[in-house]
Amino acid sequence: MEDKLFWAAIALLALAILWAAWRYWRFYQREHFVCPQCGHRWKPPLGQMVFSVNAVEGKVLRCPHCGEKVYVEPVKDR
């Protein structure tokens, strides 16, 4: 019984990692962020995306242009 529970947990963890990877891949294919302070548009590095604070729909990120830490929501690429 413990073996089955262990492998179920491993499978669930693998699915969560695959889902997160798919979400980030989709973001990099279709969306970017725009700083509300200076208007700079950018796609943050993966590490910054993973370790930044998640908010309702967006993230709290530091703008690479003006250096301000701001709440940003993703914007679709044109």
Side-chain angles (χ1 to χ4, degrees):
M1 181 69 173
E2 288 180 14
D3 253 2
K4 288 182 182 179
L5 187 58
F6 172 77
W7 289 111
I10 294 294
L12 187 59
L13 179 62
L15 283 173
I17 290 170
L18 287 172
W19 178 81
W22 176 77
R23 292 280 299 163
Y24 286 119
W25 176 79
R26 255 179 75 102
F27 171 81
Y28 281 106
Q29 292 290 320
R30 301 179 180 175
E31 299 175 353
H32 63 277
F33 291 116
V34 178
C35 177
Q37 299 293 324
C38 69
H40 180 69
R41 299 172 183 268
W42 85 100
K43 291 187 182 192
L46 181 60
Q48 188 179 18
M49 286 288 290
V50 170
F51 295 112
S52 64
V53 175
N54 288 327
V56 181
E57 288 290 324
K59 291 191 163 281
V60 177
L61 297 169
R62 187 169 305 279
C63 174
H65 186 257
C66 68
E68 290 291 320
K69 198 170 196 178
V70 293
Y71 170 75
V72 288
E73 291 185 0
V75 177
K76 298 255 186 233
D77 291 343
R78 294 180 193 182

